Amino acid sequence: MDEQQIIDGLKPVCLCKNIKKRVFLRHIAEGKRTLEELRAATGAGSGPCGGKRCTPKILTILEETGP
Ligand code: FES
């Protein structure tokens, strides 16, 4: 993992729950492939905004990581 990947992993995704991108990447590497699975595994989407802010970012991470 290079420096840019480490910095990228520190990006906040779910602001309400303070969950960073690397947490989602780890769950994807372990086999989670859907928004619902990632939300259940991380707690993202259960904060005060109801997932309004993090859902688009989670979908983008899923797109970036491919099928
Ligand atoms: S940013 Fe994820 S629930 Fe609000």
Side-chain angles (χ1 to χ4, degrees), residues 14-16 45-47 49-51 53-54:
C14 180
L15 299 168
C16 294
S46 61
C49 84
R53 292 186 292 181
C54 56

Side-chain angles (χ1 to χ4, degrees), residues 13-19 24 39 43-55 57-58:
V13 174
C14 180
L15 299 168
C16 294
K17 296 289 194 173
N18 190 26
I19 309 168
F24 294 91
R39 288 175 90 164
S46 61
C49 84
K52 279 198 188 82
R53 292 186 292 181
C54 56
T55 297
K57 292 188 229 170
I58 298 169

Side-chain angles (χ1 to χ4, degrees):
M1 186 182 292
D2 66 23
E3 196 175 335
Q4 191 53 49
Q5 285 174 307
I6 294 168
I7 293 167
D8 193 49
L10 292 172
K11 281 185 187 159
V13 174
C14 180
L15 299 168
C16 294
K17 296 289 194 173
N18 190 26
I19 309 168
K20 304 206 184 312
K21 185 172 179 178
R22 64 181 174 193
V23 176
F24 294 91
L25 294 175
R26 191 180 68 232
H27 283 291
I28 289 168
E30 290 170 356
K32 308 275 189 305
R33 289 305 320 159
T34 66
L35 173 66
E36 290 70 27
E37 287 174 330
L38 289 172
R39 288 175 90 164
T42 63
S46 61
C49 84
K52 279 198 188 82
R53 292 186 292 181
C54 56
T55 297
K57 292 188 229 170
I58 298 169
L59 291 173
T60 299
I61 294 169
L62 280 168
E63 276 172 27
E64 284 171 359
T65 51

